Amino acid sequence: MVVHAPPMPDNQETTQRLLELSTSILRDLVAGTPPRDLAARLCTTIDDLVPGRIASVMQLDEAQRLQVFAAPGAPPALVEALAGAGRWAATRG
């Protein structure tokens, strides 16, 4: 099942928040902040900008299954349900 999120608000305040977020994430990445913390910050900001939706960052594990990397706004049961979701059918060229 695919759920489509409403578009993010398109206004100057949203644009400014996203620019500030990207700048701070890049700065903190260079400073050595753990990537999981940066992903959690990204999700939290998106959760705030698009109410009623839950942002997550997924990663592909060695078995080619998606794992939740960060989803601070998600209930634990959802994170558990998403763990190991499907095999990634990527074509390798």
Side-chain angles (χ1 to χ4, degrees):
M1 177 169 77
V2 176
V3 178
H4 297 283
M8 289 182 52
D10 185 19
N11 59 46
Q12 191 170 7
E13 180 184 343
T14 299
T15 301
Q16 186 62 36
R17 282 187 68 189
L18 291 173
L19 285 172
E20 289 169 1
L21 175 66
S22 64
T23 301
S24 73
I25 285 178
L26 289 172
R27 182 187 63 239
D28 292 345
L29 181 63
V30 169
T33 301
R36 192 174 306 270
D37 293 349
L38 300 174
R41 187 182 332 155
L42 173 65
C43 291
T44 300
T45 301
I46 299 302
D47 287 347
D48 290 346
L49 289 172
V50 188
R53 302 296 179 179
I54 299 170
S56 66
V57 173
M58 307 288 285
Q59 73 178 11
L60 200 58
D61 67 14
E62 297 83 24
Q64 302 299 300
R65 296 196 182 275
L66 288 172
Q67 300 293 338
V68 177
F69 186 68
L78 177 59
V79 172
E80 196 173 309
L82 291 172
R87 265 184 89 70
W88 181 260
T91 338
R92 298 176 193 250

